Amino acid sequence: MNDNRPIGVFDSGVGGLTVAKEIKRLLPHENIIYFGDTKHLPYGDKSKETITKFTTKITKFLIKENCKAVVVACNTATSNSIEEIRKAAKDTLLIDVISPVAKKVAYELHQKIGVIATKATVNSHAYQKYIRKYNRHLKVIELATPLLVPIIEEGFRNTPVSRHAIESYLSYKKFEDIDTIILGCTHYPLIEKEVNSVFQGRVKVVDSPLIVVNQLIHEMEKNNLLGNTPDPEYHFYLSDYTENFAKLAKQFFGKSIILEQKRL
Ligand code: DGL
């Protein structure tokens, strides 16, 4: 039996597209509904209460849209509001972006791991807590990099603006001897090349979207949720229309996507 209900994915903006794109690549017969909360972006400098209010609303919306699984494609939402989101999702399969990554890196051969993320994620120390749950001996250094989301949302990737900001953040003294870096915000895979060029191959950059989607596949298989839609639909809801989102969504998913403004 196949289940052709859509997979729901959400983030504050374009960041979750890095996860949605990986879902499309590894699960090409699944319908996807994406919610980008561009009206309330960035989440990273908001309070836990505010992040919880926005993200539980979105989760309830995706459940009403008949999603068989919800992927919280946002580290800030995961680190601040996952319990409340879980309640809102009721018994629908819920995948977050931190626990699968933490588990994976905890069991690999790393010693000192750097994490860059939004202020709200770093202040929650979610990566430290999740990783140390599996391996207490790892050193985890977290750094807030709040300029990166606006730079990405405003379309300034691969420009002197992004280069300066990335170089300046990554020159953080405590990052000097890290062997691994986690891009602890779903926006950041979009600047992965620029991060890599600063470290020049010296530091391993963790591929979080791949790890998260493998976890999703594993859980969907276990729960008999896999679909077989020959020509799947990709429906994008935005709480505020932005050119950059439309451009990137079309680049990743093709021109035939459905793009709709939706206020919750
Ligand atoms: N992409 C999100 C994350 O993973 C949120 C970024 C933001 O809105 O500040 O944290």
Side-chain angles (χ1 to χ4, degrees), residues 35-40 237-241 261-263:
F35 195 99
D37 197 7
T38 35
K39 181 169 187 266
H40 299 123
Y237 290 100
L238 286 181
S239 51
D240 229 348
Y241 183 86
Q261 184 157 315
K262 178 94 194 161
R263 295 269 158 89

Side-chain angles (χ1 to χ4, degrees), residues 57-118:
K57 251 194 197 165
I58 297 169
T59 306
K60 284 179 189 158
F61 168 73
L62 292 172
I63 302 294
K64 239 175 63 202
E65 291 290 295
N66 203 25
C67 289
K68 58 184 173 185
V70 172
V71 180
V72 184
C74 175
N75 290 262
T76 309
T78 301
S79 57
N80 281 269
S81 316
I82 196 65
E83 289 317 318
E84 293 83 351
I85 292 172
R86 207 175 293 286
K87 270 188 211 134
K90 300 203 174 117
D91 44 14
T92 303
L93 173 64
L94 189 78
I95 301 291
D96 74 85
V97 281
I98 300 183
S99 41
V101 175
K103 193 169 179 182
K104 174 115 173 81
V105 299
Y107 292 130
E108 284 184 354
L109 290 175
H110 308 291
Q111 285 182 341
K112 196 166 173 187
I113 300 172
V115 180
I116 52 171
T118 66

Side-chain angles (χ1 to χ4, degrees), residues 11-12 15-16 41-45 73-77 118 121 149 184-187:
D11 180 40
S12 58
L41 178 117
Y43 281 174
D45 58 12
C74 175
N75 290 262
T76 309
T118 66
T121 299
V149 167
C185 171
T186 51
H187 281 72

